[in-house]
Amino acid sequence: MSADPHAQHGHNEIEMPHASMRDYVIGFVLSVILTAIPFWLVMTMPLSAGATGAIIMGFAVVQIVVHMIFFLHMTPKAEGGWSLTSLVFTVIVVGIMLAGSLWVMHHLNTNMMPMPHEPTSQVL
Amino acid sequence: MSAKTITADEAVQFYDLDEHAHPEGHSTMLGFWIYLMSDCLIFAILFACYAVLGGSYAAGPAPKDLFDLKLIALNTAMLLFSSITYGFAVLQMQQGRVKGVQLWLAVTGLFGLAFLGIELYEFHHLIEIGAGPQRSAFLSSFFTLVGTHGLHVTFGIVWLVTLMVQLSKHGLIAANKRRVMCLSMFWHFLDVVWIGVFTFVYLMGVLR
């Protein structure tokens, strides 16, 4: 925060994230790599299904972070930290919602009587 | 914090009663970001739905039988290209070249249209072979999730065209710069959601 809190209201320019060619090119190259490897892994299947699944989920998380940094210009300082705060809040809510839904519905499914016309392998 | 020291003859002020200049749109970027976060929650709910229902095929087709990964890879490439071309539009805007912004926005729009075209072709194909949204819970949740993303891209393109008209009428005024940055966030955000879709729905679906 600046020494005088009123100073930032004086000018009429709106604070906008500064983008650079370097950022976009790095982001794009990383995204292409992080997209191509999962597709290649699943299309040619050099590994077991379980390992492939874990790896592609990991790649997705990394790619989301790459997009956030290089394309959405997220920094801890953007908008005085409020962008990051709202993002962290959203990620927590999304995490609770996804994990909770899966957990509850998994237990609901396993506790259900299997339907006569439905093989149990198809119940999630 | 204010570092101003108060001298004895100056009255102590506890409240800030002065009016400050609030430049138009100074909080738009943060507000739009918060809108995107709420949009993120919509997608999270749809992802949760798909995660729960994605294995309920009702003795119908499974992802393995339906998804053509080559088509999805092509689709992903379209969206990735549109992301970097939008980046070029932002860079042109920073250099104050309105024609360059228009050009790269148009290229971005074309990639977006290509993405939508491929997606509509896929949906049409699925419905044609009897794997429409009413076939099973898996397909209902699939069409809802992927369709919602496609709808976002559609509205992104509508916005893009509107923005191009505004740019040609008013040039690179402050309001238009702000709009370009907001659409930039929207467009890159849709790309982030698509990472989740192609990984979780398509790639994991084929693995399952």
Side-chain angles (χ1 to χ4, degrees):
Chain A
M1 202 138 191
S2 64
D4 182 5
H6 302 163
Q8 56 188 310
H9 295 297
H11 57 89
N12 270 333
E13 273 295 301
I14 299 150
E15 300 278 328
M16 277 196 280
H18 187 82
S20 68
M21 183 58 118
R22 200 177 145 267
D23 274 3
Y24 282 119
V25 171
I26 293 175
F28 181 72
V29 170
L30 283 178
S31 300
V32 169
I33 295 168
L34 291 168
T35 304
I37 293 174
F39 270 96
W40 175 75
L41 280 178
V42 174
M43 283 161 114
T44 58
M45 287 302 277
L47 301 167
S48 71
T52 311
I55 291 170
I56 62 172
M57 290 303 250
F59 272 87
V61 172
V62 175
Q63 199 183 345
I64 287 173
V65 174
V66 164
H67 275 242
M68 288 276 174
I69 294 170
F70 293 105
F71 290 161
L72 285 163
H73 313 297
M74 276 297 283
T75 55
K77 281 183 190 144
E79 300 285 348
W82 288 109
S83 299
L84 192 67
T85 311
S86 53
L87 176 68
V88 169
F89 172 72
T90 310
V91 169
I92 292 171
V93 172
V94 166
I96 292 172
M97 204 159 61
L98 281 176
S101 303
L102 283 171
W103 182 47
V104 169
M105 294 309 287
H106 173 77
H107 281 272
L108 197 67
N109 266 331
T110 41
N111 289 331
M112 289 280 267
M113 296 282 281
M115 300 293 259
H117 62 270
E118 194 175 35
T120 39
S121 65
Q122 289 200 351
V123 178
L124 185 78
Chain B
M1 288 305 293
S2 177
K4 226 195 296 182
T5 48
I6 295 152
T7 48
D9 51 341
E10 202 180 327
V12 180
Q13 267 205 333
F14 293 106
Y15 304 104
D16 196 7
L17 297 171
D18 299 330
E19 294 259 347
H20 305 298
H22 290 287
E24 192 195 328
H26 77 291
S27 54
T28 305
M29 301 296 284
L30 179 59
F32 195 77
W33 178 255
I34 290 173
Y35 152 70
L36 285 182
M37 290 299 100
S38 71
D39 222 14
C40 189
L41 293 182
I42 294 181
F43 281 109
I45 293 165
L46 295 175
F47 271 109
C49 264
Y50 182 82
V52 168
L53 298 172
S56 311
Y57 308 132
K64 223 177 227 157
D65 316 318
L66 296 175
F67 297 155
D68 178 7
L69 281 187
K70 278 182 195 140
L71 200 66
I72 305 308
L74 184 65
N75 225 358
T76 307
M78 291 299 133
L79 216 53
L80 256 181
F81 281 131
S82 82
S83 253
I84 186 142
T85 57
Y86 202 106
F88 292 153
V90 171
L91 293 174
Q92 290 288 314
M93 185 188 78
Q94 287 178 348
Q95 291 166 1
R97 293 188 200 139
V98 71
K99 281 270 176 281
V101 180
Q102 299 261 35
L103 175 74
W104 285 114
L105 283 185
V107 174
T108 307
L110 288 179
F111 277 123
L113 279 178
F115 171 83
L116 272 184
I118 294 168
E119 187 161 290
L120 284 175
Y121 165 77
E122 190 204 9
F123 280 7
H124 175 79
H125 172 70
L126 288 180
I127 293 167
E128 195 93 300
I129 61 170
Q134 62 273 69
R135 180 62 189 84
S136 63
F138 147 62
L139 281 164
S140 303
S141 55
F142 164 78
F143 272 92
T144 314
L145 172 58
V146 182
T148 306
H149 179 269
L151 213 56
H152 275 76
V153 175
T154 311
F155 281 105
I157 292 172
V158 171
W159 186 0
L160 204 106
V161 173
T162 316
L163 194 57
M164 285 170 71
V165 173
Q166 284 173 320
L167 279 169
S168 64
K169 276 188 112 168
H170 306 294
L172 280 173
I173 55 172
N176 275 346
K177 282 187 182 174
R178 198 170 66 230
R179 288 167 189 147
V180 169
M181 287 317 286
C182 281
L183 183 55
S184 161
M185 287 203 285
F186 186 74
W187 200 263
H188 293 309
F189 169 75
L190 287 183
D191 212 9
V192 170
V193 174
W194 183 255
I195 298 170
V197 172
F198 83 70
T199 303
F200 189 64
V201 175
Y202 290 103
L203 293 181
M204 292 298 271
V206 172
L207 277 181
R208 190 166 357 210

